[in-house]
Structure formats: structure tokens, C-alpha cells
Amino acid sequence: MRLLVTGGCGFIGTNFIYAMLGRHDDLTVVNCDKLTYAGNRANLAPLEARGDGRYHFVRADIADPAAMAAILAQYRIDAVVNFAAESHVDRSIADPEPFIATNVRGAQNLVHCAMQAGVPRYVHVSTDEVYGSLGPDDPAFTETTPLDPSSPYSASKAAADLLVGAYWKTYGYPAVITRCSNNYGPWQFPEKLIPLMISLARQDKPLPLYGDGTNVRDWIHVADHCRGVELALFKGRPGAVYNFGGGAELPNITVVRTILAALGKPESLITFVKDRPGHDRRYAMDHSLAARELGFAPEYDFARGIEQTLAWYADNQPWVAAIHSGEYRRFMDSWYKDRS
Ligand code: NAD
Ligand code: TYD
């Protein structure tokens, strides 16, 4: 299989490419990434250095029709997994435009080019955030829960899901959509809750918790999400949507306390700050369809997953330090300045 992975220099894409090349000897991966602030080509440098022809990197924008058509033809691609996205809710609040450009127009362009090139397998990676927010006693989201996004990020992802679904309904293009809950693990950019809190705690800096810290997320280790996407790629029913979750619903304050305890840092570092506008209260995923049709089951519980993640960040301080400059600092300074 010659697999095109888009957004492979980001958090989940990096984990997915290593996992797939590790598990499948007959696989070639072409990684197409625009290298935004969140994309780091060096994550996959060991694969480039190997030079065995099983990994290729191309810098391009999924919204560019000529570039996508050229990649699909040149590498005779027979499967696509689209991870490429603007992915941070807070950035989408500060400036929604790039989210429309990549998550909506880019997602539509990529599925269109893949259909025109006759690529027979296609996975569009989406998120539980398209369903909106749950109350404390509501049942978990299923694939038929109506889409009700709250942020420009989740609205852009919902728009893409509807477009990809339309390619199946209108043209019979056999795309599969996956929706996953909050990921954590190696290579996650330190603007998201878990790597941000690890990074700040290690520096003895205040940990900014939005609102009262009781918003709930369903945490899944990135390795389990990657396994789910792999199953959807090989076994997904054309036109289907699959939910993936980690079965680890936790309030943010519990996550942060767990990190502080593991690092031996005081809870006095926790600082409650002004809430994120439109902040979803709770996400929870019912992944019984994926369990039934794909054999999906998360393997990590949160205790093991967070321990592995803390160890990775401890061992990869230069990776984190390289990010703590330039564009990262500009966004973090301006976003958190208004929240204290
Ligand atoms: P990320 O922000 O870490 O990485 C995104 C990658 O996409 C980066 O390498 C970036 O350079 C690249 N990219 C951005 N715009 C591009 C464009 N126009 N063309 C080509 N490449 C582009 O994101 P992530 O956390 O790895 O998320 C990957 C996907 O999974 C996204 O679609 C996201 O919506 C989805 N998802 C993420 C989570 C999560 O918890 N992180 C949960 C569910 C779903
Ligand atoms: P985040 O990692 O941004 O993921 P998402 O918004 O996609 O769920 O945030 C996870 C939770 O942590 C969410 O409820 C918002 C909260 N949060 C904070 O309390 N403080 C922060 O500085 C950040 C980045 C997030």
C-alpha cells in the first residue's frame, strides 16, 4: 500500500506514521505537511535518515489542488488519511480564518482530488467536538448524535465532516470518517492541556485552569487513537462514521492534580483564570460501533498513559525547549495576558 498521510508532522500524524511503518513491512508512506507552527519535520528525521524509500516528505498545503493532484499521481497513492488541520480551540477563537482555509476548504479539496484520482480508500480524521457539549448526566455521544459545534475549530471540523459525508452520498466516494476524543501522548504540542501543564509544572510556573476546572474530557492515549484510524483504514465500511474514546472521563482539575503529584510539585501552582468563551462542559464517547465493526478497544488506562507521557516529556526536553520561542511565545503571551 502507498499511503498518503497529511499533517504527518503534527502530534497524531507523527505517532501514526511511526506506528504504521513499524507494523506493516509492505507499506510506503508519503507525508504531506504544510509545516505550520504545529508541524515539525524533525519529528520524523530518523525515517528520512533511513533512506530506504518507505518514507517520503513533501511540503504542501492540502488546499492546493495542483499540489494534491501531483502528489496523488506521482506516488500512485492508493489510500489517504487526512490528519492535516488547525487543531487548537483557543487559536480558533483568536483567529478563525486559518481554520476555514485548512479544515474546510483544504479538507474538501483533498477528498475531491482523491476521488478524481480514483484513490479507493480514504479516512478523514475528525473529533468528538463536532457534537458540542454534554450535561453531567447525558449519555455519551454516538455517531448519530446531531452535530452542534461550539467553537470556530469544532464548527470547521463539522463542516468538513458534512462535506466528506456528501462525497459518499452524492458521488459514492467511499470515504470513512473517524471522530476521536481528547488525545495525549508523545509529540503533543505544548499548547494543549496535558503537555502545557507538564511543561509549566516542570518550570514551577502557574498552571492556568479555565473557569472552575471541572470541565470533563474523555482522554485517550494517542497510540489507541492511531490503532483506531488504522482499523478504519483497513476495515471501515464505506461512508461510515466511527467514534473512538478512551473510556477515561476526567475533570481537568483531576488531570492537573495527577500531573503535579507525579512531578512532586505543589497544588498551589494551580491558578484559576478567566474561562474560554463557548467552553464545552463535557465530552464522552460511545465507541461501541467501532468495537463491534472494527474490533476497536483502547489499551491504555489513564494511569499508565500519563506515566508514559510524563516519561516521554522528561526524556525529550530539547524537543519542548525548541518550541518555546518565536510564534509559540507570541500566541501564549497574548492569549493568557487577557485571562489572569
Ligand atoms: P496538530 O496541530 O498537532 O498537527 C496538525 C498538522 O497539520 C501539523 O503538522 C501542521 O503543519 C499540518 N497542517 C496544518 N495545516 C495544513 C495544511 N493546510 N496542509 C497540510 N498540512 C497542514 O494536530 P493533531 O493534534 O495531530 O490533530 C490531527 C488531527 O486529528 C486533526 O484533524 C484534529 O482535528 C484531529 N483530532 C485531534 C485530537 C486531539 O486531541 N489532538 C482529537 C480528535 C481529533
Ligand atoms: P485542550 O487541550 O485545548 O483541548 P480541547 O479544548 O480540544 O478539549 O483543552 C482541554 C481542556 O482543558 C478544556 O476543557 C480546556 C482546558 N484548558 C485549561 O483549563 N487551561 C488551558 O490553559 C488549556 C489550554 C485548556
Side-chain angles (χ1 to χ4, degrees):
M1 182 182 270
R2 288 174 300 273
L3 175 65
L4 174 63
V5 176
T6 61
C9 294
F11 161 48
I12 306 173
T14 294
N15 281 279
F16 183 73
I17 290 172
Y18 277 120
M20 291 295 280
L21 287 174
R23 285 200 279 268
H24 303 281
D25 291 340
D26 56 346
L27 189 77
T28 297
V29 169
V30 178
N31 173 15
C32 161
D33 199 297
K34 185 179 170 184
L35 298 180
T36 68
Y37 77 93
N40 188 346
R41 186 173 174 176
N43 290 356
L44 295 153
L47 297 179
E48 292 199 45
R50 240 164 42 183
D52 59 3
R54 293 185 60 213
Y55 173 75
H56 305 267
F57 174 75
V58 184
R59 185 173 192 177
D61 183 339
I62 60 163
D64 179 341
M68 291 309 107
I71 292 169
L72 293 167
Q74 182 190 339
Y75 292 97
R76 293 177 295 118
I77 295 297
D78 42 35
V80 174
V81 176
N82 179 26
F83 290 103
E86 292 291 337
S87 68
H88 190 37
V89 172
D90 295 337
R91 286 181 188 257
S92 83
I93 294 167
D95 180 11
E97 209 293 322
F99 290 74
I100 308 306
T102 288
N103 301 5
V104 184
R105 289 194 290 272
Q108 183 273 330
N109 178 58
L110 186 62
V111 74
H112 191 80
C113 291
M115 179 180 74
Q116 288 199 313
V119 177
R121 283 174 194 274
Y122 193 99
V123 177
H124 174 77
V125 178
S126 186
T127 165
D128 61 356
E129 303 197 25
V130 297
Y131 298 120
S133 186
L134 291 170
D137 301 321
D138 289 339
F141 300 126
T142 71
E143 290 79 358
T144 55
T145 301
L147 304 192
D148 185 21
S150 306
S151 70
Y153 164 68
S154 52
S156 70
K157 294 295 289 185
D161 287 15
L162 294 176
L163 284 162
V164 172
Y167 271 72
W168 165 243
K169 290 182 192 160
T170 304
Y171 309 114
Y173 186 62
V176 173
I177 296 172
T178 62
R179 296 185 181 136
C180 192
S181 61
N182 284 63
N183 286 220
Y184 65 98
W187 289 291
Q188 187 166 32
F189 197 81
E191 64 187 357
K192 306 284 167 58
L193 180 75
I194 287 181
L196 176 66
M197 298 300 166
I198 294 174
S199 176
L200 293 173
R202 290 178 65 90
Q203 300 171 74
D204 298 303
K205 290 188 175 163
L207 272 45
L209 262 186
Y210 297 158
D212 61 4
T214 61
N215 298 61
V216 171
R217 297 294 183 263
D218 173 1
W219 293 99
I220 184 171
H221 191 276
V222 64
D224 285 329
H225 181 197
C226 290
R227 182 72 80 172
V229 173
E230 177 184 2
L231 289 166
L233 176 66
F234 291 125
K235 295 170 67 176
R237 188 167 32 83
V241 177
Y242 296 104
N243 283 355
F244 301 131
E249 268 192 68
L250 294 169
N252 295 332
I253 188 143
T254 304
V255 171
V256 169
R257 283 190 177 131
T258 305
I259 291 169
L260 287 170
L263 294 174
K265 302 287 183 178
E267 291 196 3
S268 56
L269 287 177
I270 295 174
T271 313
F272 292 97
V273 300
K274 195 169 119 196
D275 208 353
R276 167 191 283 174
H279 193 179
D280 288 331
R281 283 304 308 175
R282 172 177 167 240
Y283 302 143
M285 285 299 244
D286 177 337
H287 60 253
S288 52
L289 180 70
R292 239 180 6 258
E293 292 196 5
L294 307 177
F296 169 79
E299 288 175 7
Y300 279 85
D301 62 25
F302 188 72
R304 181 162 80 91
I306 197 74
E307 191 188 333
Q308 186 261 12
T309 302
L310 283 157
W312 189 89
Y313 280 91
D315 292 345
N316 288 273
Q317 280 306 297
W319 184 87
V320 180
I323 289 167
H324 281 184
S325 63
E327 202 281 334
Y328 176 78
R329 171 140 311 147
R330 265 193 303 283
F331 173 76
M332 300 305 268
D333 286 352
S334 83
W335 179 259
Y336 288 98
K337 160 171 73 62
D338 301 332
R339 321 215 78 70
S340 47

